[in-house]
Amino acid sequence: MVRTRYAPSPTGFMHIGNLRTALYEYLIAKHENGAFILRIEDTDQQRYVEGAEDAILETLRLTGLNYDEGPGIGGDYGPYIQSQRKADYLPPALRLIESGQAYYCFCTKQRLSSLADERGIMKYDRYCLHLPKEEIASRILSEPYVIRQLIPEGKTTFHDEVYGDITIDNNELEDQILLKSDGMPTYNFANVIDDHAMAITHIARGCEYLTSTPKYTLLYEALGWPLPRFVHLPLLQNDAGQKLGKRNGAISIPQLIDMGFLPEAIVNYAALLGWSPPDNKEIFTLDELTQVFDATNISKSPSTYDVKKLTWVNGEHVKALPPEVFAAMALPYLQAAVKKPGTDYNRLAVITQPRVSLVNECGELVDFIDALPEYDIELYTHKKMKTNPDIARETLKLAISSLETLCDWNHTAIGEAVAIKAEENGYTKGQILWPLRTALSGKPSTPCGATEIAELLGKDESLQRLAIGLKKLEV
């Protein structure tokens, strides 16, 4: 069975890059009917941020990336927590010492700092590698120590599903710490131990971990464990070409949702950041992504986080919402924008849904219903409609005369009345409808046409606004 894990450190919120990693792990597993596991890697207590774990859980819940298993109480389950597994890391570290592939190190911080070169880079000199067993046995009882991995001579090769075979000279690797002086494992060591214990078959993570993978590979080999399949994801950058992160423009997923982005649209967009979908299709539900996702289509090239593209993807998801769902989501925004008694908010939702990219934009599209905004007469100019303020002045007069006596006030009757009047006086339909829409709304764009606006406003309000427009044109 394919088994993947999302293993975040609780050091802050989840942004789009973190979500992409979790999503790819989820899709790799679910595409093969496998298991997706959540593991909180909190062994670095100094970087722990209060509330970060809850933020991770909430983001996964909001985006539908539900994990499949974990330790729990009373039949429920939560994520695996590394700090609660402290006892699991010492035995394999001792195995490595016994086999000569790890050793105790008693070096102080002062001594280690003295090893740094002029660039501030420190590579451990194996000072403690050959200490006598008797001395070690005595010192571990009274001194703080760490356990280091002994990097063998030669080269290490591993295969990555995206980048292919990669070989690194072991001279470039330092004898990394496996267990710290407080008994907690380092991130790299705990990763390997837990991934093996949880039978993880595929590991997806950022390409910045490529240089660390030889160390993981050597640990698996030293412990006699089979290697998982590595899937390193392309760099995700901001529009300035910097790695996207909390310091470089990334914001949290809940913040994006508060801005009006739908969780399903955020997930859809995250999938496109480094993965090429089949048939150039770009709009997917999570279930659809699960069906078509193939890790072999992950690119090596960097991906750029683009708010415009995210907004477009969101707009496609908004348009696909069931009308009743959109109406419920849009209602507070429509009510805030239009307070006119008797307003049919369901109808406003139907009108605005095809024309917004964010649900919270619907109110500003119809706020002219409550009050006609100030506008410049240049709005009456439209080259395609072959209209300008002079033509608008004449066609508004015709519109007023045709509508004053109209009994059936609905958009069909309104449209027929003004079209007939325009034709009788040598004007095109557009030359009367564009000025009509401008006078009724005072906006350069509206979610519906002139006749629909007139019906929404009612006869009295419509005629009053047409009179205001004519007065502007006659000044």
Side-chain angles (χ1 to χ4, degrees):
M1 174 189 281
V2 171
R3 290 171 61 85
T4 65
R5 84 308 191 258
Y6 177 52
S9 298
T11 57
F13 58 77
M14 279 181 68
H15 56 69
I16 196 79
N18 306 131
L19 180 67
R20 182 188 67 168
T21 301
L23 175 62
Y24 284 14
E25 294 266 19
Y26 177 92
L27 294 175
I28 289 169
K30 296 303 178 182
H31 183 69
E32 302 293 338
N33 295 313
F36 172 65
I37 296 164
L38 176 63
R39 187 173 73 227
I40 304 297
E41 302 200 331
D42 63 341
T43 56
D44 190 345
Q45 294 292 304
Q46 292 183 343
R47 297 181 63 225
Y48 181 85
V49 174
E50 192 69 35
E53 182 183 331
D54 290 338
I56 292 167
L57 294 173
E58 177 66 3
T59 297
L60 294 178
R61 184 192 68 78
L62 288 170
T63 53
L65 303 185
N66 301 314
Y67 55 93
D68 293 307
E69 66 180 59
I73 299 173
D76 195 7
Y77 58 84
Y80 290 101
I81 308 294
Q82 275 190 338
S83 62
Q84 297 175 3
R85 297 168 55 80
K86 183 176 179 180
D88 296 339
Y89 305 115
L90 180 58
L94 294 178
R95 272 184 56 195
L96 292 173
I97 288 178
E98 290 170 3
S99 65
Q101 296 174 97
Y103 59 95
Y104 293 100
C105 174
F106 300 92
C107 291
T108 63
K109 290 182 179 179
Q110 290 77 10
R111 182 179 186 280
L112 293 175
S113 62
S114 70
L115 301 176
D117 60 19
E118 62 277 2
R119 297 169 296 170
I121 298 175
M122 190 278 289
K123 184 176 181 180
Y124 186 59
D125 60 359
R126 296 181 170 176
Y127 180 80
C128 295
L129 175 58
H130 299 295
L131 291 176
K133 289 185 178 181
E134 297 77 11
E135 181 181 343
I136 293 173
S138 173
R139 294 180 70 176
I140 60 175
L141 297 176
S142 58
E143 297 180 37
Y145 63 86
V146 300
I147 295 178
R148 288 184 180 271
Q149 177 186 9
L150 177 61
I151 301 295
E153 295 182 357
K155 297 181 179 181
T156 299
T157 299
F158 67 93
H159 178 77
D160 181 74
E161 300 296 310
V162 177
Y163 293 86
D165 290 337
I166 296 175
T167 300
I168 291 183
D169 193 314
N170 291 353
N171 286 331
E172 299 177 19
L173 307 176
E174 183 187 16
D175 288 359
Q176 67 173 338
I177 294 173
L178 304 180
L179 286 186
K180 295 179 284 187
S181 59
D182 60 1
M184 293 294 282
T186 56
Y187 174 86
N188 288 342
F189 188 55
N191 232 269
V192 170
I193 304 306
D194 284 342
D195 284 340
H196 175 73
M198 297 172 190
I200 300 303
T201 62
H202 294 66
I203 297 173
R205 58 189 176 204
C207 60
E208 63 269 24
Y209 289 98
L210 277 169
T211 55
S212 300
T213 305
K215 295 180 180 180
Y216 294 99
T217 301
L218 289 169
L219 280 173
Y220 277 103
E221 292 175 350
L223 291 164
W225 295 340
L227 281 169
R229 296 172 70 174
F230 297 110
V231 185
H232 285 87
L233 311 182
L235 179 69
L236 182 56
Q237 59 191 20
N238 61 18
D239 53 12
Q242 302 167 315
K243 179 187 174 184
L244 188 70
K246 300 176 183 69
R247 297 188 185 93
N248 292 317
I251 61 175
S252 72
I253 301 303
Q255 281 179 301
L256 285 175
I257 293 173
D258 288 344
M259 290 165 62
F261 292 99
L262 301 175
E264 54 267 38
I266 299 171
V267 168
N268 185 165
Y269 178 66
L272 303 177
L273 293 171
W275 170 72
S276 300
D279 303 322
N280 294 317
K281 180 181 176 182
E282 293 190 293
I283 303 304
F284 298 91
T285 64
L286 182 57
D287 286 342
E288 289 169 340
L289 284 170
T290 300
Q291 294 299 315
V292 303
F293 187 84
D294 186 342
T296 60
N297 289 335
I298 296 174
S299 171
K300 299 177 185 177
S301 302
S303 294
T304 300
Y305 172 63
D306 182 355
V307 175
K308 289 183 179 179
K309 181 63 176 288
L310 171 59
T311 302
W312 175 80
V313 170
N314 197 76
E316 296 303 300
H317 280 271
V318 168
K319 293 174 180 64
L321 288 172
E324 64 277 11
V325 173
F326 177 83
M329 295 174 66
L331 184 59
Y333 304 107
L334 294 172
Q335 287 177 327
V338 182
K339 299 181 173 62
K340 182 180 178 181
T343 296
D344 185 345
Y345 292 107
N346 284 330
R347 185 175 179 190
L348 294 186
V350 170
I351 291 169
T352 56
Q353 183 174 2
R355 293 168 175 83
V356 295
S357 295
L358 302 171
V359 175
N360 57 19
E361 294 174 339
C362 60
E364 63 193 64
L365 288 184
V366 293
D367 57 6
F368 65 85
I369 292 174
D370 267 11
L372 180 67
E374 284 295 325
Y375 65 92
D376 192 279
I377 63 170
E378 280 305 310
L379 281 184
Y380 287 102
T381 300
H382 195 297
K383 291 182 180 179
K384 187 177 179 180
M385 299 293 183
K386 296 180 180 180
T387 184
N388 55 46
D390 291 332
I391 293 174
R393 181 173 61 249
E394 300 307 315
T395 55
L396 279 188
K397 291 178 183 177
L398 296 174
I400 291 170
S401 66
S402 65
L403 297 178
E404 283 178 328
T405 57
L406 188 65
C407 296
D408 293 329
W409 196 262
N410 60 72
H411 71 91
T412 302
I414 295 167
E416 290 174 353
V418 298
I420 291 171
K421 185 66 74 170
E423 185 179 358
E424 290 176 348
N425 289 271
Y427 293 103
T428 66
K429 192 174 180 180
Q431 286 176 316
I432 196 168
L433 288 178
W434 180 263
L436 185 65
R437 190 185 67 81
T438 300
L440 292 174
S441 69
K443 287 198 165 191
S445 62
T446 54
C448 55
T451 59
E452 292 88 353
I453 294 173
E455 183 178 347
L456 285 171
L457 293 173
K459 184 174 182 178
D460 291 344
E461 179 68 18
S462 295
L463 290 173
Q464 182 179 347
R465 293 190 182 195
L466 294 179
I468 293 171
L470 184 58
K471 186 175 180 180
K472 277 179 174 285
L473 292 167
E474 288 178 338
V475 173

